[in-house]
Amino acid sequence: MRIRKRPPRALVPALAASALLLVTGCSAGPGPHTPSAAGPAPDATASPSPGSSGSSTGTTDRGGRPLAVAAAPAATSAAVARPGAVGGRAHRTGVEVTSYDSRTRRAVISPARHGNPSVSPAPGGTPAPGRTAVGDVIASAPAPGAPDGLLAEVTEVIGEKPGGTEVQTAPATLDALLGDGRAKGTVPVDPASFDVERLLPDVKVSWTRTGDVHAGPEGAKVPLGGLRVDLATRVATAEGTPASAAATVSGFVQVEPEVDFSYGGGSTAGGPASARLGVSGAWTSRWALKGRAAASAQPLRLPFAKLHADPVLQVGPVPVVVNLDLTCYLRISGDGGVTVDIEQDLKGDFNAGGTYDPAAGWTPVSASHMTSTPVHTRVTAAGGVKAALGAEATVGLYGAVGVTADLAPYLRGEAAGTVDATSPTRSGTKAGVGTTGTWGVYGGLDLNGTLHVQLSVFGTPVLRRGIPLGALHREWRLAGSPG
């Protein structure tokens, strides 16, 4: 995991208020999964073995078996297909992209610097890369000049250069490589692979991976494959608020991110018969809002951490590069009147993305299942406040954005009349209510997002515009006055 720090700076009240709006957190991933260390990728014709990282179903490769889907090994060669040619199916090669210029779309293709056991050896036992030709479609893991990976067709062979062959390329689509193959899998993202940019002071990042390797503050209990972000910050308070009512947000969000990928054969109309791209994962958080937040006409949103990873999936012989971004944020709104002391535990999962079939085109997928337990709730005075700690996730292929999903679990407190109420949410906590009005504390979540035109990278028709995922909204009562 790589961490970039911004210089610490004092948070003036306005900035702190913005940060509170941006607590919509850092999330992803359903169900407990255990990412394994990257090992040799399954062979293009191998059926998935039980217990392998990622699952695969469907048919077919040339042997009538499904294309395996798994995390690619650290060093993986490019895959090449020659559509329309005899024997032009996608296959692993002994070559790699050693440089790429995104402005001119020129690439240099060179013999791989690492051995590739899946390439048939030439006489003498050395893997022999095939000669690059016009019409070749190349899929490459991240390479110099192509940090998001490369999916391109060779339109011209320019000539030999020291160490490789220079070629002119044009954009290509996945169906040119996967053809009538079928594959489906959910692959965990290695938490150590994220590039982390901290946007606020007092942000801590932790993770645990296979081999009992842990990074982050001592005492931060992170499950295997989990990524945790802790935050503690002050937020703007209402004018004239006593120092004892200063507002703060603190807590953590913990996710086990996964990428959902599927591709289903060729359709009679051209392109795949089905496809799917999404992000999912388990979510755990505990966070607290205390004090009196400042009034604001519109919710304030402030990111506190940005995370980026480029996991490579091995789909049969083809390295498929997924670009995953998570922006963790805090969001808050309020009228400056109510003082709250709220803390809750939240556990669950979410799943967001898109599925394709030729009849219906691209359709959105969005689901979330959360359970909330109040740890402490107290509301004093009249007014309302709402704060969210969430995450915006963007997932794409080879640098083309496909899906944006925003998951925002929140806390909301409101009171009317004269209120001073504490709810017994823990054993040993006594209820105390002095009120001539009503009060309530609520938990909830919002999930929304967009499918983007760049999903055409599968070889499906280009979307004319972004398709909303559809808003998912749920709210539940944590505590409050009767009635």
Side-chain angles (χ1 to χ4, degrees):
M1 178 174 61
R2 301 166 298 283
I3 296 178
R4 301 194 300 274
K5 281 188 177 181
R6 288 194 175 186
R9 60 185 184 277
L11 290 180
V12 297
L15 179 59
S18 300
L20 191 62
L21 283 181
L22 218 80
V23 180
T24 310
C26 183
S27 78
H33 292 270
T34 302
S36 59
D43 182 77
T45 59
S47 298
S49 59
S52 64
S53 175
S55 60
S56 65
T57 60
T59 57
T60 59
D61 64 8
R62 71 191 67 185
R65 291 169 292 189
L67 300 175
V69 178
T76 181
S77 299
V80 174
R82 194 168 293 174
V86 177
R89 299 175 65 103
H91 60 280
R92 298 180 189 176
T93 67
V95 301
E96 61 185 2
V97 176
T98 50
S99 71
Y100 178 71
D101 186 328
S102 59
R103 184 180 60 83
T104 63
R105 290 181 175 166
R106 290 187 175 186
V108 174
I109 313 298
S110 307
R113 288 165 291 184
H114 51 81
N116 190 335
S118 68
V119 177
S120 299
T126 302
R131 187 175 297 277
T132 302
V134 171
D136 284 356
V137 178
I138 299 173
S140 168
D148 299 319
L150 183 64
L151 177 61
E153 178 183 358
V154 175
T155 59
E156 179 187 356
V157 177
I158 297 172
E160 297 301 315
K161 297 191 71 171
T165 302
E166 185 177 23
V167 297
Q168 182 71 51
T169 69
T173 54
L174 268 174
D175 59 321
L177 286 149
L178 297 179
D180 60 359
R182 294 182 184 270
K184 180 179 180 181
T186 297
V187 179
V189 180
D190 182 354
S193 68
F194 279 92
D195 185 0
V196 180
E197 182 179 5
R198 296 167 173 160
L199 305 178
L200 292 177
D202 299 321
V203 172
K204 300 178 177 65
V205 179
S206 311
W207 52 262
T208 302
R209 66 185 299 188
T210 304
D212 198 27
V213 178
H214 173 80
E218 291 295 330
K221 297 180 179 179
V222 185
L224 192 66
L227 179 69
R228 170 170 161 163
V229 181
D230 287 74
L231 169 73
T233 189
R234 299 172 67 88
V235 298
T237 54
E239 185 176 353
T241 299
S244 60
T248 61
V249 171
S250 62
F252 70 87
V253 290
Q254 182 175 287
V255 295
E256 298 163 52
E258 299 177 333
V259 172
D260 303 325
F261 175 91
S262 71
Y263 175 92
S267 71
T268 56
S274 65
R276 173 182 167 84
L277 180 65
V279 59
S280 58
W283 169 288
T284 303
S285 64
R286 171 180 283 191
W287 60 288
L289 170 64
K290 299 180 180 181
R292 188 185 303 176
S296 59
Q298 297 293 328
L300 297 176
R301 184 181 188 275
L302 183 65
F304 58 87
K306 290 184 177 181
L307 302 94
H308 176 83
D310 296 299
V312 182
L313 310 185
Q314 193 75 44
V315 181
V318 181
V320 176
V321 183
V322 180
N323 314 118
L324 179 60
D325 288 277
L326 295 172
T327 298
C328 305
Y329 65 90
L330 172 66
R331 184 176 66 212
I332 189 167
S333 61
D335 59 14
V338 65
T339 299
V340 297
D341 184 350
I342 311 171
E343 186 175 357
Q344 76 165 345
D345 288 336
L346 193 67
K347 291 186 178 181
D349 60 61
F350 87 101
N351 189 338
T355 61
Y356 173 81
D357 72 68
W362 281 99
T363 57
V365 173
S366 61
S368 180
H369 305 89
M370 296 281 183
T371 57
S372 174
T373 304
V375 178
H376 182 70
T377 58
R378 180 182 177 89
V379 178
T380 304
V385 66
K386 180 179 178 180
L389 179 65
E392 182 180 81
T394 299
V395 60
L397 299 174
Y398 301 102
V401 175
V403 179
T404 297
D406 194 336
L407 179 68
Y410 65 82
L411 287 169
R412 184 173 69 86
E414 62 182 15
T418 304
V419 176
D420 187 350
T422 302
S423 175
T425 54
R426 279 181 177 163
S427 59
T429 303
K430 295 182 179 180
V433 179
T435 178
T436 58
T438 60
W439 68 282
V441 175
Y442 306 87
L445 67 89
D446 294 312
L447 173 61
N448 53 60
T450 304
L451 304 183
H452 299 280
V453 296
Q454 290 91 336
L455 280 169
S456 58
V457 71
F458 277 97
T460 62
V462 176
L463 297 174
R464 294 183 180 179
R465 60 185 181 278
I467 300 175
L469 285 180
L472 174 65
H473 172 77
R474 291 179 51 218
E475 185 173 273
W476 50 88
R477 184 182 174 91
L478 297 175
S481 55

